[in-house]
Amino acid sequence: MAVMATIMNRQHLLTYIYLLVYISLSSGVILYNKWVLSTLYFNFPFPITLTMIHMAFSGGVAFFLIRVLKVVAPIKMTFHIYATCVVPISAFFAASLWFGNTAYLYISVAFIQMLKALMPVATFLVAVTLGTEKLRCDVFWNMILVSVGVVISSYGEIHFNVLGTVYQVSGIAAEALRLVLTQVLLQNKGLTLNPITSLYYIAPCSFVFLFIPWYILEKPEMEAPHMQFNFWIFFSNALCALALNFSTFLVIGRTGAVTIRVAGVLKDWLLISLSTVLFPESKITGLNVIGYAIALSGVVCYNYLKIRDVRTSLLQIIPDESAKELHMEKKADDDGKTNEDSQWDDTVLDSPNSHFDEEAPLMYSSRISHLGRKPA
């Protein structure tokens, strides 16, 4: 018991370390981007260029890990899947990063985090529009609560900027489209991408999409002689962004998406507080806090409803799977009484009652080859 308790304590400690690293990296990347882009600090007001640097660095690292070190294997990617799935996802991913980084030029980090409370609203509306989720009254009223909170917070913003708000809201809409399209296009085809393979396929394509607006909007201004470029600043910035992507995957794999949502709420409050200290021009009013608290309560309720739906679906799946297993066992016993060798017949596996483990779909073919052989 003492050994088990020690192991559990170590596991919990490691989980807390992962969460701390995730919160630190997520907050650090946002503050770092603001510092680089702001004209009051590093003064590199080229958000598309910064995003392209991130994409080039992440894509290069992913290529090195997959093709040189062979840490993970690339998935079977056909031209049709790439054109119909990866390309549109990459386009919205590039747009979300472009618009989100551009917002740093006009509005404060604190207000950006408050506007990000609209993410569940945008995701829900896109999912309902594309038919992946049904319009429900309880979720709808939660979305209204979040929207009202964001409106109050915006009304209380001292340095409210219409252009910056439009950029941030557009980035949220693009990110919502990317999330829903990832579910519709990739997951429905049975494709799962880990962080390395995601960057390997999506980052280069996003770089191409960003090149067109960069060439039109930012390239002429970057030719000015006063433009500064510090290699170590941009290298460390891109490295932090890449590390954040990996840490998010590790935290989700160790704790789950629900925990990372809770950690995200804690991170938002911490980030809002830090931004007012590091960037004195950012001012928070009482109306900001009240509005964000209202929006956050709606987000918490929305997360609770999603967790409840998942638990309900699991409770419905478990009895169905148990009944199917009992049916298969009874069928196998009956077949064994009539013909001892029939349990090794391949036609049993091809029947409508045969199911492979949904948690490990790639095991399907190997199980057929194993069960299809007669014993020696």
Side-chain angles (χ1 to χ4, degrees), residues 333-347:
D333 291 340
D334 294 341
D335 292 343
K337 293 177 182 179
T338 57
N339 186 353
E340 184 177 358
D341 289 339
S342 64
Q343 60 181 318
W344 304 101
D345 190 353
D346 290 344
T347 59

Side-chain angles (χ1 to χ4, degrees), residues 36-104:
V36 170
L37 294 170
S38 177
T39 55
L40 298 177
Y41 299 97
F42 186 72
N43 192 20
F44 186 81
F46 304 107
I48 305 177
T49 305
L50 184 65
T51 307
M52 290 177 68
I53 292 173
H54 290 175
M55 293 298 98
F57 181 79
S58 299
V61 171
F63 180 86
F64 182 77
L65 292 175
I66 291 177
R67 293 300 182 183
V68 180
L69 298 183
K70 300 186 184 301
V71 175
V72 294
I75 65 174
K76 294 181 179 179
M77 181 70 66
T78 64
F79 176 79
H80 176 74
I81 293 177
Y82 191 86
T84 58
C85 298
V86 175
V87 170
I89 291 173
S90 300
F92 286 112
F93 183 56
S96 67
L97 294 176
W98 168 20
F99 296 147
N101 285 334
T102 305
Y104 290 121

